[in-house]
Amino acid sequence: MWISAEPVSDPVPWWVRLQRQQDSTGLMPVLCYPNDHPQPLDLAKAEAVDLERELEQGWHAYRERQLERLAAPPTPLQLPPEVAEFIEPFEDDPGAPFDRWPGLAPASAPASGDPDEAARSALTHLAAGNPNLLSGCHLALVTAARSADIPAGIGWAADAPLPLLCSLLRSWEDRFGARVIAVIGATVHVSVASPPRTHEHALHVTLEHVLTTADNVIKDPPTPYPDYAASLIDSNLWSFWWD
């Protein structure tokens, strides 16, 4: 991996230029923060993951917790009288609409555009929608055969389950035209060329997002499952962060 010595002041045009050259150079660009002691993940660990088996085990644990929570009586919300009248109870997340493991979500119909072009568009929109997000980012070039291996190549130090995540990112590449475009702090941003187009499909894809254990999906606060699924329909950018 090569990384710029200083933050890049206008990183998107540089990223786009280098991404267009990645097939000939074998170097994939990513915007990230420097890590003083990067420890790249051995890709053999990602390749050894039995993705569907591990996700199924995660779903069983998730479903067990969900049923325990739904069976328990709600804890009364204790608030000072002067504010209680202004607070409405948060509606409990009904959880995943699956009473048995549904398997991996099917692939979306291929988009008309190229996934790499979709990645360029997603990064441009990410920067435009969050002007300060990329400030302080360095530009890295990673020797990788595919975009999904970028977090492993830079030795990403977040609390994500990295072998499982890289395996899932590889699967998302195949099914949804996903590309890793930025790894900023504890957040990974992923462009999606062929997102789910229907609510039913989005509900299925949402389960895979939940099983990443990403904090912004399950803790910050937990978005009601149907609402999160609705946000994925036709969405060309998925983001995940871990504390």
Side-chain angles (χ1 to χ4, degrees), residues 2-219:
W2 171 91
I3 188 167
S4 61
E6 301 291 338
V8 180
S9 60
D10 190 10
V12 174
W14 280 103
W15 186 95
V16 168
R17 176 183 174 185
L18 293 165
Q19 190 240 25
R20 290 183 185 277
Q21 300 172 2
Q22 66 187 13
D23 289 342
S24 59
T25 64
L27 299 171
M28 293 196 165
V30 64
L31 299 177
C32 61
Y33 294 151
N35 183 344
D36 290 338
H37 302 287
Q39 295 181 335
L41 175 74
D42 183 350
L43 286 176
K45 294 183 178 179
E47 292 163 357
V49 171
D50 183 336
L51 181 61
E52 183 153 6
R53 179 174 177 274
E54 290 209 18
L55 289 183
E56 182 176 4
Q57 289 178 339
W59 176 81
H60 282 295
Y62 167 73
R63 181 65 170 165
E64 184 177 338
R65 292 193 302 271
Q66 178 191 36
L67 293 175
E68 288 177 355
R69 178 177 57 80
L70 293 175
T75 303
L77 188 63
Q78 301 296 327
L79 294 171
E82 61 272 18
V83 300
E85 62 179 298
F86 301 105
I87 302 296
E88 295 183 3
F90 183 79
E91 182 180 355
D92 281 341
D93 179 7
F98 304 106
D99 57 9
R100 65 181 62 186
W101 169 242
L104 296 179
S108 296
S112 57
D114 174 63
D116 289 334
E117 176 59 39
R120 294 190 283 271
S121 177
L123 183 62
T124 300
H125 283 92
L126 179 65
N130 302 269
N132 297 321
L133 179 66
L134 303 183
S135 62
C137 279
H138 293 236
L139 179 64
L141 292 171
V142 184
T143 302
R146 53 193 303 173
S147 167
D149 296 339
I150 287 175
I154 65 174
W156 190 33
D159 289 333
L162 198 50
L164 175 64
L165 179 63
C166 288
S167 178
L168 190 52
L169 287 168
R170 287 179 169 194
S171 183
W172 287 346
E173 274 196 25
D174 297 336
R175 287 181 286 150
F176 308 116
R179 298 288 188 269
V180 174
I181 57 176
V183 181
I184 303 173
T187 304
V188 58
H189 298 281
V190 181
S191 67
V192 187
S194 302
R197 307 293 183 188
T198 67
H199 190 62
E200 181 180 5
H201 192 194
L203 287 170
H204 201 160
V205 174
T206 292
L207 181 58
E208 295 183 23
H209 285 212
V210 168
L211 296 177
T212 65
T213 72
D215 289 332
N216 64 309
V217 179
I218 63 174
K219 290 184 181 177

